[in-house]
Amino acid sequence: MSVLVGKNTRLVVQGFTGKEGTFHAEQMIAYGTNVIGGVTPGKGGDKHLDRPVFNTVADSVANEGANTSVIFVPPAFAGDAIIESALAGIDVIICITEGIPVKDMIAAKAVVDRCGARLIGPNCPGVITPGEAKIGIMPGMIFSPGSIGVISRSGTLTYEAVDQLTKVGLGQSTAIGIGGDPVIGTKHKDAVKLFNEDPDTEAIILIGEIGGTDEEDAAAYIKEHVKKPVVAFIAGRTAPPGRRMGHAGAIVSGGKGTAQEKMAALTAAGITVCESPAVIGETMKALLG
Amino acid sequence: MNIHEYQAKEILTQYGVAVPAGIPAFSVEEAVSAAEELKAKGATLFVLKAQIHAGGRGKGRTVKSGVRGVMLCKTVEEVKKGAEDLLGDTLVTIQTGDAGKQVQRLYVTDGVDIAHEFYLGITLDRAKGQNVIMVSTEGGVEIEKVAEETPELIVKEWVEPGHTLYPNQARRLAFALGLEGDAFKKGVKFIMSLYQAFEATDASIFEINPLVLTPDNDVIALDAKINFDSNALFRHKELLELRDLSEEDASEVEAGKFNLNYIKLDGNVGCMVNGAGLAMATMDIIKLAGGDPANFLDVGGTANVETVKNGFKIILEDPNVKVILINIFGGIVRCDRVANGVLEAVKDPEIAAKVANVPIIVRLQGTNAEEAKEIIDNSDLNVVSAVLLKEAAAEVTKALA
């Protein structure tokens, strides 16, 4: 068992025939993900990577029963692509694209919510249920099947944590890269809720960073509802205020969103907070005994 | 992206938002003729404002002449004197840090009479995923302080996603400011126009502090701070022209040309990382290892020879750098290729000359990490390899000892 993606995933790739879309679709197929086809407007009827190309997401739903989409279209068109998926009735929309304007995301998120879809990202590495489905751009070989749920705002830092887990013998139920933008579809708290309700997730790794109050919200939720062990790390303790650290969402402004505040909130909620990003795996191992 | 106050006010004017009459000036002569022009239009009092990308100008002082960054001038002669003092001098404010910023541009405005000062801000409320408009009767002061001590004095309206601001919302805000009669009507128009400008320019911050009510019941933006969403600049070519590169760190501008995300810091350990989250985590580990990060540098998802070379050049421009830590989580990128790229970059004559006394620690993880380690270990260069993040941290401590 797992959350969001797995054996029942029927994936449609938006931006299928582009360079990024093609490369990562190949990787996802090689991993064993059930990629039913893709969408490139104007190329409907073609075949790409031995799979059908559709003009619209709605066509992929009608013809192949797509229930999940992954988005590789450029930032100027990505908000529209998210809305297309939501309106077509896709259940889980995973947007990899980095650099989408905030205005477009505010509108897209509202449509996603109204349609009852689940959006992951944007500006994220994707979601993987090891051994079942890899949706996104993460390197599949560092993951192993197991019972740790992983939640993270960033890409390579997720790989770092997962690699450490795998090396100490702890596999992952699902790893969710929620994205580094100020407006994202699924926040830490939402992802924690999914893992808390998943019977096959035994413990949770939560990786946050400076900016916003999402980690604090997750801490409050965990304190109230979660009995499973949680290990956390917050990146950006050395980041100066007022400077955006790469991710559009990673900025300490008006004295809010510091790593210290977040670590204090997590600790107060009974969560084991790692001081160093080098000990995430062993901390979880020790906690599980 | 940040812009100057005078540029912000030009944008606001285009959207029908009331601002005091004002003219930018790049020299003392221009400041004088600006003041004369304003005087001819009826101005009896002038405000001379230093244009730098930082707040707190009114309370800040210049290094040489010791004058304030914002001055009230009664005569054209006073404007001239003020301009002479400000131009070329360095202004230090609470937001510039001790280094301050050189004043290269001025803004001469009509000194309007003030009956009351308010605060108005528009930004994204991340928790709600909606834009929020905030007003307060406590204008002209630090709004963070008001938010902390007396949050009830800040009234907010959230804009429905995919919609614009509705008049009822602007009315509620204008009532909250205690505006009445003619001033109320002008206040509503001000707020509606301001939100329209925010929306149309893909702004990320609008801050009008203070927003003033004049004795004639006019509602005017006395100051204006605007930031734009850098992800949306592709559809606002006209705004890109407002960028003032002299206000930005030179090495950061240089890094931007190579598509590297670089931020200069004060420490002694330079770092080069792929991915923003891992870059921040690497800075944290440098601190834990007893060093201080000299920079934030995200080379992006795909690290190749060129990005590594450019990264080295930018890091090495900083004389404080004593050690360099490269942390690449390969993923789909093969580590042995990155290792060869690092070695090739270190052999580049321009880089080689500078790294002779700077130990380089390379931590590569992911596909072919072991092969990559061998490649590094077998080279005769001043480069140390590590596979685990822990090992990299230990090497940093060792190199600094």
Side-chain angles (χ1 to χ4, degrees), chain A residues 123-125 152-160 177 247, chain B residues 274-278:
Chain A
N123 190 11
C124 78
S152 170
R153 272 210 235 171
S154 85
T156 45
L157 186 54
T158 313
Y159 310 161
E160 177 66 47
H247 288 157
Chain B
N274 66 331
L278 190 59

Side-chain angles (χ1 to χ4, degrees), chain B residues 115-119 135-138 153 155 170-188 191 211 213-214 217 219:
Chain B
H116 200 97
E117 295 192 343
F118 307 109
Y119 171 89
V135 299
S136 173
T137 49
E138 306 304 295
L153 294 177
V155 177
R171 287 198 298 271
R172 181 170 169 264
L173 295 168
F175 280 127
L177 291 177
L179 298 175
E180 291 171 346
D182 199 26
F184 174 80
K185 279 183 201 156
K186 284 175 177 161
V188 170
I191 294 166
L211 166 72
L213 175 67
T214 70
N217 283 328
V219 177

Side-chain angles (χ1 to χ4, degrees), chain A:
Chain A
M1 255 293 286
S2 55
V3 302
L4 298 171
V5 305
K7 287 277 176 239
N8 298 326
T9 293
R10 296 181 64 78
L11 182 71
V12 56
V13 180
Q14 290 179 262
F16 191 34
T17 56
K19 192 176 155 227
E20 290 282 300
T22 300
F23 177 76
H24 290 292
E26 275 175 337
Q27 299 275 327
M28 291 188 278
I29 291 165
Y31 192 81
T33 309
N34 184 10
V35 178
I36 59 95
V39 172
T40 297
K43 291 195 180 171
D46 287 4
K47 283 261 178 190
H48 185 62
L49 307 179
D50 273 339
R51 283 157 176 81
V53 181
F54 299 99
N55 278 327
T56 65
V57 175
D59 286 349
S60 76
V61 173
N63 291 289
E64 292 290 338
N67 58 13
T68 304
S69 67
V70 64
I71 296 171
F72 288 103
V73 308
F77 314 106
D80 184 31
I82 293 170
I83 290 171
E84 179 179 0
S85 263
L87 294 178
I90 293 286
D91 298 325
V92 178
I93 305 163
I94 299 168
C95 185
I96 308 301
T97 309
E98 177 178 357
I100 305 176
V102 168
K103 186 159 77 179
D104 301 4
M105 274 315 302
I106 292 174
K109 188 168 158 33
V111 176
V112 166
D113 289 347
R114 188 182 65 71
C115 294
R118 156 84 57 192
L119 171 67
I120 305 291
N123 190 11
C124 78
V127 182
I128 182 170
T129 293
E132 294 189 24
K134 165 181 126 85
I135 300 176
I137 59 174
M138 64 289 273
M141 77 284 175
I142 60 169
F143 294 83
S144 58
S147 59
I148 311 292
V150 179
I151 306 162
S152 170
R153 272 210 235 171
S154 85
T156 45
L157 186 54
T158 313
Y159 310 161
E160 177 66 47
V162 165
D163 189 55
Q164 289 178 24
L165 286 173
T166 297
K167 284 190 171 131
V168 297
L170 294 173
Q172 305 87 41
S173 52
T174 300
I176 309 172
I178 60 173
D181 276 2
V183 179
I184 51 174
T186 299
K187 298 180 181 188
H188 278 109
K189 186 180 109 178
D190 310 318
V192 166
K193 193 159 179 263
L194 289 173
F195 281 130
N196 196 39
E197 289 162 3
D198 172 34
D200 294 323
T201 296
E202 195 190 336
I204 301 166
I205 297 268
L206 190 150
I207 299 171
E209 58 190 42
I210 53 163
T213 54
D214 289 356
E215 289 83 354
E216 287 89 330
D217 294 345
Y221 181 84
I222 290 167
K223 193 175 183 181
E224 196 72 18
H225 302 283
V226 181
K227 299 276 184 294
K228 299 178 182 183
V230 182
V231 168
F233 171 73
I234 303 290
R237 269 193 297 172
T238 47
R243 303 305 307 269
R244 170 185 144 165
M245 290 286 133
H247 288 157
I251 182 165
V252 175
S253 54
K256 286 279 160 201
T258 65
Q260 284 75 6
E261 273 181 329
K262 289 175 189 292
M263 290 166 78
L266 291 162
T267 306
I271 297 160
T272 307
V273 181
C274 300
E275 288 283 314
S276 161
V279 299
I280 297 169
E282 60 192 63
T283 303
M284 181 57 94
K285 181 85 176 168
L287 195 62
L288 294 179

Side-chain angles (χ1 to χ4, degrees), chain A residues 23-24 27 75-76 99-104 106-107 110 134 137-139 141-142 153-154 156-157 159-160 163-164 167 181-183 187 209-214 217 233-240 243-251 254 256 275-279 282, chain B residues 124 126-131 144 148 159-162 198-202 229-232 234-236 249 252 261-265 273-285 287-288 292-293 296 298 327 329-332 363 365-367 387-390 393:
Chain A
F23 177 76
H24 290 292
Q27 299 275 327
I100 305 176
V102 168
K103 186 159 77 179
D104 301 4
I106 292 174
K134 165 181 126 85
I137 59 174
M138 64 289 273
M141 77 284 175
I142 60 169
R153 272 210 235 171
S154 85
T156 45
L157 186 54
Y159 310 161
E160 177 66 47
D163 189 55
Q164 289 178 24
K167 284 190 171 131
D181 276 2
V183 179
K187 298 180 181 188
E209 58 190 42
I210 53 163
T213 54
D214 289 356
D217 294 345
F233 171 73
I234 303 290
R237 269 193 297 172
T238 47
R243 303 305 307 269
R244 170 185 144 165
M245 290 286 133
H247 288 157
I251 182 165
K256 286 279 160 201
E275 288 283 314
S276 161
V279 299
E282 60 192 63
Chain B
L124 169 74
R126 285 172 64 160
K128 286 182 181 266
Q130 289 173 269
N131 288 330
E144 282 89 2
E148 193 142 305
V159 180
E160 288 298 312
F198 183 89
E199 189 73 12
T201 55
D202 271 294
D229 176 3
S230 49
N231 285 347
F234 68 85
R235 55 189 176 209
H236 298 286
D249 182 274
E252 289 174 19
N261 200 338
Y262 173 86
I263 293 170
K264 194 182 174 317
L265 303 169
V273 188
N274 66 331
L278 190 59
M280 279 188 273
T282 304
M283 289 159 57
D284 295 344
I285 213 161
K287 185 86 176 170
L288 290 168
D292 268 307
F296 167 93
D298 172 12
N327 185 12
F329 202 107
I332 288 165
R363 185 271 180 150
Q365 184 59 279
T367 313
V387 172
L388 297 179
L389 196 49
K390 240 184 183 173

